[in-house]
Amino acid sequence: MTSRSLPLIDFRSDTVTRPDDVMRQAMAKAEVGDNVLDGDPTVAALEQRAAKLLGMPAALWTPSGTMANLIALSIHLQRGDRFLAPRGSHVITDELGSAAWLAGGMPEPLEHDAGPGRPTPETLSAAIGVPRGPYYALRTPLLCLENTHNTAGGAVTPPDEHAQLVAIAKEAGLTVHLDGARIWHASVALEVPPAALTVGVDTVSACFSKGLGAPVGSVVAGSEEFVEKARRMRQMLGGGVRQGGVLAAACMVALDRIGDLAETHENATRLAAGFAELDWEVNAPETNIVQVTAPDLEGRLAWLAGLGILTLPSSGRIRFVAHRDLSAADIEETLQRVKTGG
């Protein structure tokens, strides 16, 4: 079998998963209503369940994580405000500048001097500076955290470090938003409930299509007052999906599968160990993301594609994302292809 005829093994993202028969049946049987006019019962049930899991009073379903984050930032920021976020955060690098263009905020990246994806309390304090300067000084009303941190290799922030950062932000009068697109992964890796990772934050987003297998959907959660404002903002951004229960049903099934993420973490660890045996420079994955450093990034990506192994570049490295549609056998097949060149 030539490399061109090899079955594709897709590591590009954990969003490439497809709904299985169980999820499709749930979607087909979903009870629905008009979610803009008078509410959709399945969407409402999902929002209540997600809010409870995340330890928040209320939640709002959105079509995407980018929209969920944009809604939060648009409510928390005024035009010309500055917000702080760890360097490489999704809200800075992967949302097409919507934080600045639409929410009106200017990002200030924080270095990862406490570990991958995590600033130290000292770095955060220095970045906040004097909370109330002269009228012509930048206002800094918001801190955005990310757990797990995507471009830092799916790195997790443990509850104690999270608490320190939130405490500093709150003492300075900042609002805190947590981009928890992959908070389910952090929860499984740290063996704590998702709500243990949202303590002290004002708002949090979470995604159902990254790792959990849903075809689409996220939530943004916070206070009842926040969600009331968020619902109007979602409509303004074109997120007023009508019979959204068809999609929310898939998200409900996804939530039943949070525990399955442990298997993807094991597969990522197995993949990284195999690469290390080949003397590849590779991170020690904390969740389901493996990053490989290659001197010729484009050349290595093309070589892997020739072997039927699909990957993407991330932070100057090659990113492999393990997910529920890849088995342990796929991991072994990947390593075998890399060892033999196809």
Side-chain angles (χ1 to χ4, degrees):
M1 182 179 292
T2 65
S3 60
R4 291 185 179 180
S5 62
L6 289 170
L8 294 178
I9 305 177
D10 196 343
F11 288 98
R12 289 174 299 169
S13 176
D14 46 11
T15 61
V16 302
T17 57
R18 298 182 180 184
D20 60 12
D21 289 341
V22 172
M23 187 173 284
R24 289 174 185 268
Q25 289 173 16
M27 295 170 72
K29 297 176 181 178
E31 182 183 0
V32 299
D34 191 314
N35 198 44
V36 175
L37 294 180
D38 45 24
D40 180 296
T42 306
V43 172
L46 172 67
E47 290 171 343
Q48 292 170 9
R49 184 179 177 188
K52 184 175 181 180
L53 279 171
L54 295 168
M56 307 301 282
L60 180 75
W61 183 88
T62 65
S64 72
T66 294
M67 183 182 287
N69 285 334
L70 178 57
I71 287 170
L73 268 64
S74 296
I75 292 172
H76 295 323
L77 294 168
Q78 295 182 29
R79 289 193 176 277
D81 283 348
R82 180 181 71 149
F83 70 93
L84 306 175
R87 184 172 295 281
S89 293
H90 200 275
V91 293
I92 297 179
T93 63
D94 294 285
E95 298 184 4
L96 281 77
S98 59
W101 182 40
L102 298 175
M106 183 176 73
E108 178 79 21
L110 303 171
E111 298 302 331
H112 302 179
D113 50 351
R118 312 193 305 275
T120 60
E122 293 76 17
T123 290
L124 175 58
S125 293
I128 294 173
V130 179
R132 293 180 179 83
Y135 79 92
Y136 51 81
L138 280 172
R139 293 177 66 253
T140 306
L142 179 65
L143 169 66
C144 288
L145 299 174
E146 184 175 330
N147 200 10
T148 69
H149 193 294
N150 181 4
T151 62
V156 301
T157 300
D160 58 334
E161 294 190 35
H162 167 89
Q164 291 178 348
L165 296 173
V166 169
I168 289 171
K170 291 295 183 178
E171 185 177 356
L174 274 63
T175 298
V176 180
H177 173 66
L178 173 62
D179 179 356
R182 290 184 170 87
I183 193 171
W184 322 116
H185 281 282
S187 169
V188 169
L190 294 168
E191 298 183 337
V192 299
L197 303 175
T198 67
V199 175
V201 307
D202 297 278
T203 54
V204 56
S205 64
C207 187
F208 305 111
S209 65
K210 293 181 173 66
L212 297 182
V216 63
S218 290
V219 287
V220 60
S223 67
E224 296 279 359
E225 180 184 6
F226 167 81
V227 168
E228 184 178 351
K229 294 178 181 178
R231 196 178 305 278
R232 288 179 56 82
M233 181 59 66
R234 182 185 67 181
Q235 191 74 9
M236 197 180 302
L237 295 173
V241 176
R242 298 290 181 168
Q243 285 71 40
V246 174
L247 299 173
C251 300
M252 291 285 269
V253 174
L255 286 179
D256 294 335
R257 299 173 170 178
I258 292 175
D260 295 350
L261 297 176
E263 183 178 349
T264 69
H265 297 181
E266 293 168 4
N267 283 338
T269 298
R270 188 176 296 113
L271 183 67
F275 286 153
E277 290 178 2
L278 297 172
D279 293 326
W280 283 22
E281 186 178 342
V282 59
N283 72 317
E286 298 180 31
T287 52
N288 67 320
I289 298 177
V290 176
Q291 291 182 323
V292 171
T293 301
D296 178 11
L297 182 63
E298 293 299 325
R300 183 70 63 87
L301 285 166
W303 180 74
L304 287 167
L307 298 178
I309 302 169
L310 302 183
T311 59
L312 286 174
S314 175
S315 301
R317 291 171 285 185
I318 302 172
R319 188 183 76 162
F320 296 76
V321 185
H323 52 78
R324 64 179 298 109
D325 285 3
L326 293 179
S327 65
D330 292 319
I331 301 301
E332 295 306 319
E333 173 65 17
T334 298
L335 293 172
Q336 183 62 25
R337 292 185 194 181
V338 169
K339 289 176 184 177
T340 63

